[in-house]
Amino acid sequence: MTVFLASLFLPKTVYFKLPHTPPASERRSQRPTTKKTTTRPPLELRTSLFPDPAITPPKTPEEDDGYLGDGFFVNEDGLRVLNASDDEEFRSPAPADKQSPKWGGRANQPKSRANSPPPASLLEHARTLEKAKELGRQGIVQPRASRSDSHDRVFANANWRIVNADQGNGGLRNAAEAAARDGHSDEYSWVGTLGMPTDALEGTQQKDDINDRLVTEFNMYPVFCSDKDFDGHYLHFCKQILWPVFHYQIPDNPKSKAYEDHSWQFYVNLNQAFADKIVKNWKRGDTIWVHDYHLLLVPGMIRKKLPDAKIGLFLHVAFPSSEVFRCLAVRKQLLEGMLGANLIGFQIHEYTRHFLQTCSRLLSVEATPDGVQLEDRFVNVMNHAIGIDPVSLNSHRQEEEVMKWIDIMRDRYKDKKIIVARDKLDHVRGVRQKLLSYELFLNKNPQWRDNVVLIQVALSTGEKTDLDAAVGDIVTRVNSNWANLAYLPLVYLKQDIPYSQYLALLTIADALMITSQREGMNLTSHEFIVCQDGVYSDRKHGSLILSEFTGTSSLFGNKELTVNPWSYRQCSEAIKQALEMPEEEKTERWEALREVVSHHTGGHWFSKFLAVLDQVYEEQHSHDQTSVPRLNLNTLGQRYSQSRNRLFFLDLEGTLIPYGPMNEIIPMNPQRTLDVLNDLVDDPRNTVYVMSGRRPEELDRLLRLVPNLGLIAENGCFIKNSRTSKWTEVADHDRVTSWKDSVRGILQYYLERTPGSEIEVRNCSLTFHYKNADDYANAERQASDWTGHINESCEEQRVHATQLDDCVVVESIDWTKETAASQVYRDMKATAEGSENSAVDFLMVVGDGREDEKVFKWANNLKSQDRLKEVVTVSLGSRNTEATSTLTQGVSGVLVTLQKLAGLS
């Protein structure tokens, strides 16, 4: 079967050979210049403080001159891919990040027809309109950019070729290739855009030919969307709204773009185009794997059209806390789109926990450590970090160009310690904090001023910012203070470097410094660890200085030097520790880090996610209400009659009696239920336990007319043996009292702000009722906040809050109906082993609530492990269930079934 890999950009794109266009080298030499001539001598001939021009920080290349020989590129997350094209004309400059001119800015691809949406800042937009009106009154009209039809027509007949794209998720591509090399058998097809404007190809044969060749030769399904949709989706909504919020750039200032929704519809349109393309080509048995924040709506869109599809979603970036995510105006739509998947994957546990808390607070759904329980199905979550492909990396390290640069830099920086850094120049990567920390280090440690060099490679975002100027000032200040004729303490390259130079830097570095303020997974650190094995350089086992706010930090077990990028003192001390670390300690740390990198590879991540997706899909499908068979009374009767020692666990509310308010005593005895229970317990071979969330005294009062009936109260905290009249408190009283005091203070705070609500205190649980609140709608909205507040603040006390209809229930997670049922079974088994009585050979569990699902799962496990001969689990609910059979007649159906069984005794 096929695995559809849906990512925003395909691994391939199209370059056109336009007629009468000279080769790239000739174009550069023939290009006229519009700059004013100057009498100043060339840079190389001017007087310089630096004796060797080669160590002078280079000028930033222009767009047309920035050709890199290696075809190396990155995506917005810093994941590396090699461009295999060896044709200079089809090589491309390095980074493809925010505001990149590549989309719609190449000479060998069509121009974009999109008109950019208005500025996201309302203040800026108002000033622009006012200025335009003033110029209009003066008779000055801004020239409009026009596109000639000839520009579009030329692409309809131009020769074209398919080449490796320089945009997209490189980590995903490398992982897919590594998994295929390691023997992953599934065939996978890519779904994505071409990474270029396509309006000019609309209605032409070229478009059909490109589509057919990608599908037949490369197994890739291109998604064609309008230039306007892509521009609004990628450059506006993704880059200016989603990306900042996912990296904790809270929209709380007038310049923020997150409160504007003009690009939301474009995001929806492009996601719908992806969903339509996948639905059109999907066959039963195929797997759909959607990647990253660009396509969060795709799983939900596909689920509407393909209810039985197997869908996975992996988020490669960080997932913020609920307090940050809730700032998005379209927060619910994004979450609901994500929850269309069967399995949602995150890099680390922290992001998984944030997602579950966000769903609980914003959607008022039940979130468990395994996933999210929706009305009709369960969505699993997992965390498994992506990694690099060490095999491919080691093969590139052996290339002649890499060896040459290792020799060059070893000679250039001999007798110097080298700290290496490579980051995108934005507010998330922490370049400013890193340089200030390095400046502080040189200030406090004068003995190192002539002996250490920081090489900072900064990938430009393509736009001038305040950060750009601030970083430039720091670089100038550091070098003006401590540089001399033979020493430059800070080498700052505001450009990317070829892949060969990058690998050489990682190989000869004494330390790598990463100070990101927030980052999903930093794979540069993984590559650094591999390159520090000492195979190609005498420098080895260098230290890794890593921000605690990167996902990678949680994997390395403190074997790296963890820093808070906001603490300049801590970062400067980490630099000192890295440079002065003894060789034995460096080796010990490196070996531990290398073990982690070897385990968390891209190929392993790829195969593991698909294996888990297959597993949870089968489980979810088997638990779906439509897949669980109805209870067969004839078969049940035969199994019942053939058994000698039977054990029943029967839920009370909604199973044996209709639901009633949990804080009210049932005013009258349900006589029919009592009669059925009496008939069951009259048979000495039957042991019956009734489970409930009510207090022990309530159950005694309700079921006092049924002798020899076992009871489980407060969802497993109290057990009353069927042969005695004494209650046993299973829960730890001191622990329960401790957490109740903590939670009661939180609930009391909300009680004072919700007139008409009340707190019900039980022995082992607290329930906040807001059914009679004066402002019920507001109370219902706030209930998710109470739930999230308790789950976050009391997690270490093993307490869980759940929002139900008209109330929030807080109870311990260590004592449940499952633990009580398990204890009853163990006690009966021990009693049977010490007497002539036979062991339990028939177990029946009947329930309808969320608490009963754990009992169903426990009972089914006994059957699967061959510890019990007959196990029957019956669910009355309409949701997905762990039970092996269902009853659709509700309480009446349960009583009829039990009555028939009692009649067979």
Side-chain angles (χ1 to χ4, degrees):
M1 295 300 177
T2 300
V3 177
F4 287 98
L5 299 176
S7 184
L8 182 63
F9 297 109
L10 288 175
K12 302 287 184 179
T13 189
V14 177
Y15 285 168
F16 292 84
K17 177 71 174 179
L18 302 182
H20 311 299
T21 303
S25 56
E26 294 184 26
R27 289 203 306 272
R28 289 196 292 272
S29 63
Q30 296 174 4
R31 185 180 297 114
T33 178
T34 56
K35 297 181 181 179
K36 295 181 179 180
T37 57
T38 176
T39 57
R40 299 180 67 188
L43 181 64
E44 295 78 5
L45 301 181
R46 296 182 212 157
T47 303
S48 172
L49 292 176
F50 304 99
D52 187 350
I55 66 173
T56 303
K59 66 174 183 177
T60 301
E62 297 179 1
E63 170 71 15
D64 292 325
D65 295 332
Y67 284 77
L68 297 180
D70 297 69
F72 164 63
F73 68 89
V74 299
N75 75 335
E76 63 270 17
D77 301 323
L79 306 176
R80 268 153 227 85
V81 181
L82 292 176
N83 186 352
S85 173
D86 57 358
D87 187 332
E88 182 182 359
E89 174 131 356
F90 295 105
R91 286 184 184 163
S92 54
D97 295 304
K98 178 182 175 182
Q99 301 290 344
S100 171
K102 293 181 181 178
W103 191 83
R106 295 182 183 276
N108 53 10
Q109 288 183 337
K111 304 295 182 183
S112 172
R113 290 181 176 180
N115 292 320
S116 183
S121 170
L122 299 179
L123 300 179
E124 179 186 348
H125 188 41
R127 287 194 297 268
T128 302
L129 288 177
E130 189 61 34
K131 183 176 181 180
K133 291 178 181 178
E134 178 62 29
L135 292 174
R137 284 192 290 267
Q138 299 175 14
I140 302 174
V141 180
Q142 181 180 2
R144 296 181 177 271
S146 60
R147 295 169 44 89
S148 64
D149 291 340
S150 60
H151 173 273
D152 291 348
R153 285 199 303 270
V154 73
F155 289 97
N157 300 301
N159 294 327
W160 52 272
R161 63 178 296 185
I162 294 176
V163 298
N164 288 332
D166 59 356
Q167 291 176 324
N169 194 326
L172 172 61
R173 300 176 196 175
N174 290 340
E177 293 172 1
R181 186 189 63 233
D182 295 341
H184 187 78
S185 58
D186 287 342
E187 175 186 344
Y188 54 86
S189 299
W190 292 88
V191 180
T193 68
L194 289 171
M196 70 174 191
T198 56
D199 279 3
L201 303 178
E202 194 63 37
T204 67
Q205 186 61 39
Q206 293 279 51
K207 177 180 176 181
D208 296 335
D209 294 343
I210 291 171
N211 179 82
D212 293 344
R213 187 176 174 200
L214 283 169
V215 172
T216 56
E217 293 188 23
F218 299 97
N219 216 14
M220 297 179 183
Y221 294 90
V223 175
F224 293 97
C225 62
S226 69
D227 296 351
K228 183 177 182 180
D229 282 345
F230 187 91
D231 180 81
H233 166 278
Y234 183 63
L235 298 181
H236 291 268
F237 192 80
C238 285
K239 287 302 182 183
Q240 300 182 18
I241 297 179
L242 280 187
W243 173 264
V245 171
F246 274 68
H247 291 78
Y248 286 78
Q249 304 296 307
I250 302 177
D252 59 352
N253 61 80
K255 291 185 178 181
S256 170
K257 297 156 183 168
Y259 58 82
E260 279 291 309
D261 62 352
H262 59 254
S263 55
W264 165 245
Q265 189 57 48
F266 303 130
Y267 186 84
V268 174
N269 293 346
L270 188 134
N271 276 253
Q272 189 64 61
F274 268 79
D276 293 342
K277 176 67 72 171
I278 294 172
V279 169
K280 180 180 179 181
N281 294 280
W282 178 85
K283 303 295 183 184
R284 188 168 300 277
D286 289 347
T287 298
I288 301 167
W289 190 2
V290 182
H291 289 270
D292 227 358
Y293 67 101
H294 314 99
L295 306 174
L296 296 182
L297 301 181
V298 172
M301 292 173 170
I302 296 176
R303 181 68 60 195
K304 291 179 181 178
K305 297 185 177 181
L306 303 174
D308 297 329
K310 184 194 304 182
I311 306 173
L313 170 66
F314 192 88
L315 194 65
H316 292 262
V317 297
F319 194 92
S321 70
S322 58
E323 289 299 329
V324 177
F325 190 87
R326 70 190 306 179
C327 297
L328 289 168
V330 290
R331 56 197 184 184
K332 287 191 175 181
Q333 294 93 315
L334 291 173
L335 290 177
E336 289 168 353
M338 296 176 69
L339 290 173
N342 298 99
L343 174 66
I344 304 176
F346 300 90
Q347 299 279 17
I348 60 175
H349 174 69
E350 177 187 349
Y351 307 155
T352 305
R353 181 165 52 86
H354 286 168
F355 174 75
L356 293 174
Q357 291 172 349
T358 301
C359 289
S360 176
R361 297 187 68 175
L362 299 184
L363 300 181
S364 300
V365 295
E366 180 185 355
T368 70
D370 294 328
V372 178
Q373 179 66 62
L374 303 179
E375 286 293 331
D376 56 345
R377 61 190 190 89
F378 190 82
V379 179
N380 288 80
V381 298
M382 69 171 289
N383 58 274
H384 189 70
I386 193 174
I388 62 172
D389 181 8
V391 175
S392 174
L393 179 62
N394 283 325
S395 68
H396 290 299
R397 291 173 60 201
Q398 301 172 13
E399 295 174 0
E400 181 180 347
E401 188 72 10
V402 177
M403 298 299 179
K404 183 187 78 172
W405 277 102
I406 290 176
D407 293 337
I408 291 174
M409 285 187 281
R410 183 192 292 122
D411 182 63
R412 178 66 50 81
Y413 297 108
K414 63 182 178 181
D415 301 326
K416 296 281 193 299
K417 293 287 188 178
I418 303 175
I419 304 172
V420 171
R422 178 182 176 277
D423 309 273
K424 189 166 72 170
L425 191 59
D426 60 22
H427 289 281
V428 173
R429 306 299 180 179
V431 175
R432 176 176 173 273
Q433 285 75 13
K434 181 188 306 175
L435 299 187
L436 288 174
S437 300
Y438 182 64
E439 182 181 29
L440 179 61
F441 166 76
L442 293 177
N443 267 319
K444 295 175 63 177
N445 301 277
Q447 73 274 17
W448 279 105
R449 288 177 189 166
D450 234 13
N451 300 305
V452 63
V453 175
L454 171 61
I455 302 177
Q456 173 67 62
V457 179
L459 284 65
S460 174
T461 60
E463 57 182 13
K464 297 294 183 180
T465 63
D466 295 340
L467 177 64
D468 196 348
V471 168
D473 290 343
I474 298 171
V475 173
T476 302
R477 186 169 66 241
V478 170
N479 284 333
S480 62
N481 284 337
W482 295 299
N484 56 45
L485 293 176
Y487 172 63
L488 190 67
L490 176 52
V491 178
Y492 179 68
L493 301 175
K494 193 185 170 187
Q495 63 189 68
D496 205 358
I497 57 178
Y499 193 52
S500 56
Q501 295 182 30
Y502 168 77
L503 291 181
L505 268 184
L506 295 185
T507 302
I508 58 97
D510 295 283
L512 173 71
M513 190 169 186
I514 298 167
T515 54
S516 302
Q517 297 171 21
R518 187 67 59 172
E519 191 169 3
M521 187 61 56
N522 187 288
L523 296 186
T524 301
S525 58
H526 292 232
E527 293 169 329
F528 172 72
I529 298 301
V530 174
C531 291
Q532 284 291 309
D533 56 7
V535 174
Y536 303 106
S537 173
D538 51 352
R539 303 194 189 196
K540 62 180 181 179
H541 305 164
S543 300
L544 173 62
I545 304 172
L546 185 62
S547 166
E548 65 183 72
F549 299 114
T550 63
T552 309
S553 178
S554 66
L555 300 179
F556 284 162
N558 292 324
K559 292 302 180 180
E560 81 284 16
L561 300 179
T562 306
V563 296
N564 176 358
W566 299 104
S567 174
Y568 303 138
R569 177 177 297 178
Q570 184 186 18
C571 291
S572 67
E573 291 173 351
I575 295 174
K576 187 174 188 294
Q577 181 182 354
L579 297 179
E580 299 177 356
M581 185 178 295
E583 290 297 327
E584 297 80 8
E585 182 180 354
K586 288 168 61 176
T587 301
E588 177 190 353
R589 288 175 177 268
W590 178 85
E591 289 176 347
L593 294 173
R594 186 66 175 88
E595 181 67 25
V596 175
V597 172
S598 299
H599 175 70
H600 288 279
T601 63
H604 175 65
W605 164 83
F606 189 92
S607 301
K608 176 70 177 295
F609 184 93
L610 290 177
V612 175
L613 176 58
D614 290 340
Q615 176 186 343
V616 300
Y617 177 76
E618 293 301 325
E619 291 178 356
Q620 293 171 9
H621 185 69
S622 64
H623 298 157
D624 189 85
Q625 188 70 19
T626 58
S627 301
V628 180
R630 292 186 180 89
L631 181 65
N632 188 313
L633 294 184
N634 293 330
T635 304
L636 176 62
Q638 294 173 7
R639 298 162 70 183
Y640 177 87
S641 300
Q642 294 170 2
S643 57
R644 301 175 58 190
N645 192 358
R646 312 174 187 112
L647 176 59
F648 292 82
F649 289 108
L650 309 175
D651 180 45
L652 181 62
E653 296 88 353
T655 303
L656 294 176
I657 61 174
Y659 269 108
M662 293 297 289
N663 57 338
E664 295 180 9
I665 302 297
I666 298 178
M668 59 180 294
N669 291 330
Q671 191 59 48
R672 185 186 178 194
T673 300
L674 299 180
D675 292 341
V676 171
L677 291 176
N678 273 309
D679 290 343
L680 269 182
V681 298
D682 280 346
D683 188 332
R685 293 174 294 179
N686 292 343
T687 302
V688 182
Y689 278 82
V690 173
M691 307 180 296
S692 174
R694 295 183 181 274
R695 301 185 186 92
E697 54 269 25
E698 293 180 79
L699 293 184
D700 278 338
R701 187 179 300 113
L702 175 64
L703 302 171
R704 66 185 184 277
L705 299 179
V706 184
N708 299 326
L709 179 67
L711 298 175
I712 297 175
E714 297 207 21
N715 288 332
C717 291
F718 293 87
I719 300 177
K720 181 180 179 181
N721 192 281
S722 59
R723 307 301 177 188
T724 66
S725 59
K726 182 180 178 181
W727 283 95
T728 301
E729 183 175 3
V730 183
D732 186 324
H733 181 76
D734 294 336
R735 283 178 57 188
V736 172
T737 302
S738 175
W739 73 253
K740 281 172 66 177
D741 291 341
S742 302
V743 173
R744 191 179 301 171
I746 299 174
L747 293 181
Q748 187 65 36
Y749 172 86
Y750 291 110
L751 180 69
E752 296 170 357
R753 289 155 179 78
T754 315
S757 59
E758 59 177 322
I759 299 176
E760 179 189 358
V761 181
R762 301 184 190 175
N763 295 297
C764 297
S765 63
L766 296 172
T767 305
F768 190 103
H769 297 275
Y770 56 87
K771 180 179 180 179
N772 299 319
D774 295 350
D775 187 350
Y776 177 82
N778 181 62
E780 188 176 33
R781 286 193 301 270
Q782 294 297 320
S784 59
D785 287 343
W786 314 335
T787 305
H789 188 174
I790 294 170
N791 287 335
E792 292 172 21
S793 59
C794 302
E795 183 178 12
E796 293 183 357
Q797 295 178 283
R798 306 284 293 170
V799 175
H800 186 70
T802 305
Q803 183 178 353
L804 304 177
D805 292 337
D806 305 331
C807 67
V808 174
V809 178
V810 187
E811 53 195 358
S812 173
I813 61 177
D814 290 325
W815 299 285
T816 63
K817 288 182 179 180
E818 176 201 355
T819 60
S822 178
Q823 180 168 330
V824 169
Y825 174 76
R826 289 197 306 268
D827 292 344
M828 291 185 64
K829 184 178 180 181
T831 302
E833 291 174 352
S835 66
E836 296 180 356
N837 297 329
S838 61
V840 174
D841 59 358
F842 179 92
L843 173 62
M844 184 172 185
V845 183
V846 186
D848 74 316
R850 62 179 184 84
E851 307 93 344
D852 304 314
E853 294 296 326
K854 295 180 180 178
V855 190
F856 295 151
K857 188 173 184 179
W858 163 76
N860 292 334
N861 286 339
L862 292 180
K863 174 67 174 178
S864 63
Q865 297 168 8
D866 294 328
R867 295 164 60 185
L868 254 178
K869 182 180 179 181
E870 299 290 352
V871 173
V872 180
T873 51
V874 185
S875 171
L876 276 66
S878 59
R879 57 199 265 174
N880 58 314
T881 180
E882 294 277 352
T884 57
S885 55
T886 61
L887 266 177
T888 58
Q889 295 85 11
V891 174
S892 176
V894 174
L895 297 179
V896 169
T897 301
L898 296 178
Q899 187 68 63
K900 289 185 177 181
L901 293 181
L904 297 175
S905 300

